[in-house]
Amino acid sequence: MTDTVAIVVLTERGLAMARRIRSCLTGARIHGYSTRVSDVDVAFDDVGTELRRLFADGIDIVGVCAAGILMRTLAPVLADKREEPAVVAVAEDGSAVVPLLGGHRGANELGRRLGEVLGVPAAVTTAGDIRWQVALDDPPSGWVLANPHHCKSFMARLLAGEHCRLEGEAEWLECSGIEFRTDAVLSVRVTDAPDGGDEDTLVYHRRRFALGVGCERGVATSELADLVERTLAGAGLSSRSLAGVFSVDLKMDEPAVHALAEALGLPARFFGPPALEALTPRLANPSETVFREVGCHGVSEAAALAAAGERGTLRVAKTKSKRTTCAVAEAPSPIDAMQLGRARGVLTVVGLGPGTPAWRTPAAEAAIRDAAHLVGYRGYLDQVPASAGQVRHAHALGEETERVDRALALAAEGHPVALICSGDPGVYAMAALVFERLEAAAHPHWRQSEIVVLPGVSAMHGAAALAGAPLGHDFCAISLSDLLTPWAVIEQRLRAAADGDFVVALYNPASNRRRRGLARAIEILAAKRAPATPVVVARAVGRDDQSVTVTCLRDLDQASVDMMTVLIVGSTGTRVSGGYVYTPRGYGTKGESGVSA
Ligand code: SAH
């Protein structure tokens, strides 16, 4: 899901064109200007903010609008063309397609594809593409340019009429319009060996080698990285010639394997023991000991061979350090690692905030966008824009364990999964249950997924901000739901909070049937606080029907409190002034020492 394209549309007239474009780009979503366009995947309020955000997130943009709008909006944030995404403008009626930015980061390619669909030529303006039908700084997938920093001057010299040699084989270059001559000063070299090139020489590597690794549990990353570095150096191979790091799925949660892959900028992919065992006849070092422990006769050699495919061969047989092994297999052409074995699954536990998307963190939005599966209570999933190709698992209220188990099982299959909660996912929500299930459930393979918890704005924080700053000094949160906690425990905590003079946020304060708890809680707090102590009654915070009322312990209308409400009861220090509720921290009366904002 990560290669999503954002189709940005500003007018209702452009929407049909945006839909046509979406239908031919997998994973693309329509982002629409909320005041003018309805029924889009993602609605936004401010054109500039949305375009700059997408651009900063590295998401390719197809703007169904004037090229000038995209240029003016993005001009202030342009920085490094080697890092930035593609930007293509498409006329509302489909009569023009203009790759504007990132021509060699996919914009020309994207423009050409859209041009084909719409039956118009893409207005490609980058010089190399026109002259030679190739982009030297944007080689085909599976190829890597080792020295992109030399590319600009190299291309300028070619355009100025210098000739060029080809060292090695590259069909995409041989079929291009570049005229190669053996006596030229400039050269394009294709090699598997480490080679940084220079201003006269562009160096390309083919990602046709598979690195297989094995290790003991908990090994230091440096031990594995050192072995790999020595092995590659000994074999005369550049790490840029590698397509991926491969291992057995038992190592899916091994930090050293992932750290190595990350350091090499490569995907880590895993095979099950049966797939590896099938390669035993081709192993240089089959081992009975490994078979007894893992279920296949080799890990690093077998994983490398599995990735290199049937026509692959072992380039480097298993080498060892004390606790790690590695091997390298070679394929005749580039290897597409993403199609091989499985990735480690990631379960991201996400909080949507209390309501409005404006209080949702960009990290939460990105995790939702990148997930292949969304799991959550139906009411929360409804707050998340639909995305093509994403599977939604909507659950009824309750069913918490089912939701969490579903999310863990999907992640264990190797998918990126987002488990959606309201507010903050760690506050009376699913994150703790995820860890509880991991510990208790009889599925050890669930533990191999990566678990990421992203913070969100809790109802208490939303309510506090709307009222002023009632949480300015020590506070606590207490849930009045006795579904999972005995009432005696809740009451004991209320008394302790009253004694400690904490500001108290009351979650799950009352339901239609459960009203007694709230009355008792107020009674306990009122026993230690003045009747005029401020109370914030915040209902449906961040939603259309939001209401925030400031009252006091004596006047609280308990009938107005329901399950969509969070209450904030002040401490003895909490005040109301000019309509705002706040709990001073003491700056006004004390010196500054030891207090920081
Ligand atoms: N994880 C959530 C809490 C879920 S428990 C969070 O961090 O906010 C559910 C309780 O949270 C509700 O009974 C209510 O007390 C409070 N709550 C959740 N959303 C709310 C909202 N928009 N306005 C007021 N209270 C809310």
Side-chain angles (χ1 to χ4, degrees):
M1 300 295 304
T2 38
D3 58 345
T4 314
V5 176
I7 304 161
V8 178
V9 57
L10 309 184
T11 61
E12 199 67 42
R13 277 187 59 202
L15 191 56
M17 181 53 53
R19 293 208 175 111
R20 202 165 152 203
I21 294 171
R22 181 177 61 183
S23 68
C24 64
L25 299 176
T26 343
R29 295 202 298 173
I30 298 179
H31 295 235
Y33 187 25
S34 60
T35 49
R36 303 233 189 105
V37 200
S38 51
D39 198 14
V40 292
D41 299 329
V42 181
F44 60 83
D45 298 331
D46 185 84
V47 181
T49 311
E50 181 72 357
L51 281 169
R52 286 189 287 269
R53 183 186 70 77
L54 291 166
F55 192 76
D57 285 352
I59 296 168
D60 292 342
I61 298 171
V62 174
V64 183
C65 60
I69 293 180
L70 298 172
M71 277 157 57
R72 283 178 197 285
T73 309
L74 296 174
V77 294
L78 299 182
D80 180 356
K81 71 172 188 174
R82 291 203 298 266
E83 299 292 326
E84 289 162 353
V87 180
V88 179
V90 176
E92 246 176 32
D93 61 359
S95 60
V97 175
V98 190
L100 266 185
L101 294 167
H104 293 167
R105 299 263 308 156
N108 289 348
E109 180 56 34
L110 185 57
R112 284 196 189 99
R113 262 167 72 197
L114 295 178
E116 269 166 35
V117 173
L118 301 173
V120 291
V124 173
T125 52
T126 37
D129 292 66
I130 302 168
R131 284 274 287 275
W132 311 307
Q133 289 83 51
V134 287
L136 288 174
D137 57 353
D138 184 24
S141 100
W143 288 74
V144 198
L145 171 60
N147 52 334
H149 48 289
H150 289 133
C151 202
K152 192 172 171 189
S153 63
F154 188 97
M155 289 214 292
R157 286 166 67 186
L158 269 189
L159 283 167
E162 278 195 52
H163 292 110
C164 167
R165 280 177 291 141
L166 177 62
E167 302 173 41
E169 284 174 24
E171 206 187 315
W172 63 282
L173 288 169
E174 285 155 43
C175 298
S176 74
I178 301 177
E179 212 183 301
F180 291 104
R181 285 212 197 160
T182 47
D183 60 347
V185 174
L186 294 179
S187 77
V188 172
R189 184 179 300 144
V190 179
T191 176
D192 302 323
D195 186 340
D198 56 37
E199 53 197 16
D200 291 338
T201 316
L202 290 186
V203 173
Y204 291 95
H205 300 289
R206 283 161 299 172
R207 294 199 181 278
R208 61 187 194 93
F209 292 87
L211 178 68
V213 297
C215 60
E216 285 176 26
R217 186 144 294 280
V219 74
T221 306
S222 57
E223 184 177 336
L224 183 59
D226 286 349
L227 177 71
V228 168
E229 198 181 319
R230 272 186 280 123
T231 306
L232 292 177
L237 289 175
S238 162
S239 64
R240 291 198 183 95
S241 301
L242 297 175
V245 176
F246 302 90
S247 191
V248 66
D249 58 12
L250 293 169
K251 301 290 164 198
M252 214 179 239
D253 56 346
E254 194 59 56
V257 175
H258 291 282
L260 173 74
E262 200 174 325
L264 293 170
L266 294 173
R269 308 286 300 190
F270 303 87
F271 298 99
L276 299 184
E277 179 58 9
L279 293 154
T280 303
R282 293 168 60 194
L283 302 186
N285 299 286
S287 154
E288 283 303 324
T289 320
V290 175
F291 180 70
R292 276 195 301 277
E293 277 174 20
V294 184
C296 51
H297 280 79
V299 170
S300 50
E301 287 186 0
L305 280 169
E310 281 177 9
R311 292 165 64 210
T313 50
L314 263 190
R315 168 72 173 251
V316 185
K318 180 168 85 176
T319 55
K320 284 201 249 189
S321 68
K322 194 155 168 262
R323 302 176 67 197
T324 67
T325 65
C326 86
V328 182
E330 129 174 51
S333 50
I335 296 168
D336 184 357
M338 300 310 274
Q339 304 300 325
L340 298 165
R342 283 199 290 145
R344 182 188 193 191
V346 186
L347 172 56
T348 310
V349 196
V350 176
L352 294 179
T356 167
W359 286 358
R360 212 166 278 170
T361 69
E365 291 202 325
I368 293 169
R369 192 178 56 226
D370 293 345
H373 293 264
L374 301 183
V375 183
Y377 161 55
R378 192 178 312 277
Y380 302 154
L381 286 189
D382 287 346
Q383 297 176 38
V384 173
S387 178
Q390 209 169 37
V391 188
R392 291 167 166 250
H393 307 266
H395 286 252
L397 255 191
E399 294 191 2
E400 282 88 358
T401 308
E402 287 84 348
R403 273 184 251 171
V404 167
D405 285 4
R406 166 86 66 99
L408 283 166
L410 286 164
E413 284 171 23
H415 302 293
V417 181
L419 176 60
I420 314 283
C421 309
S422 84
D424 178 281
V427 175
Y428 308 121
M430 301 283 99
L433 185 54
V434 167
F435 297 113
E436 219 177 292
R437 295 299 293 159
L438 279 179
E439 201 176 346
H443 300 288
H445 67 289
W446 283 3
R447 287 183 211 128
Q448 292 187 320
S449 304
E450 185 183 356
I451 311 291
V452 178
V453 182
L454 294 177
V457 173
S458 189
M460 156 181 90
H461 294 120
L466 292 169
L471 308 180
H473 210 310
D474 298 338
F475 66 91
C476 66
I478 299 178
S479 165
L480 298 188
S481 168
D482 59 356
L483 222 58
L484 302 168
T485 311
W487 179 257
V489 173
I490 298 173
E491 206 169 300
Q492 182 201 346
R493 289 180 185 161
L494 284 164
R495 264 187 258 109
D499 282 342
D501 196 22
F502 288 97
V503 175
V504 185
L506 295 174
Y507 279 78
N508 302 300
S511 68
N512 285 343
R513 277 174 296 140
R514 181 170 56 74
R515 313 281 330 166
R516 262 274 328 126
L518 174 62
R520 182 74 189 117
I522 297 302
E523 204 174 284
I524 291 169
L525 293 168
K528 299 281 167 123
R529 295 177 196 186
T533 301
V535 177
V536 177
V537 183
R539 194 182 176 280
V541 166
R543 306 190 182 194
D544 291 342
D545 51 342
Q546 160 183 305
S547 79
V548 180
T549 314
V550 178
T551 174
C552 64
L553 278 174
R554 181 189 47 231
D555 299 340
L556 172 67
D557 171 16
Q558 293 190 17
S560 70
V561 174
D562 64 7
M563 278 302 268
M564 268 312 289
T565 310
V566 68
L567 294 170
I568 300 178
V569 180
S571 67
T572 54
T574 305
R575 290 184 229 159
V576 184
S577 169
Y580 297 107
V581 185
Y582 73 103
T583 309
R585 209 178 157 196
Y587 292 105
T589 51
K590 278 241 168 73
E592 298 289 308
S593 74
V595 181
S596 67

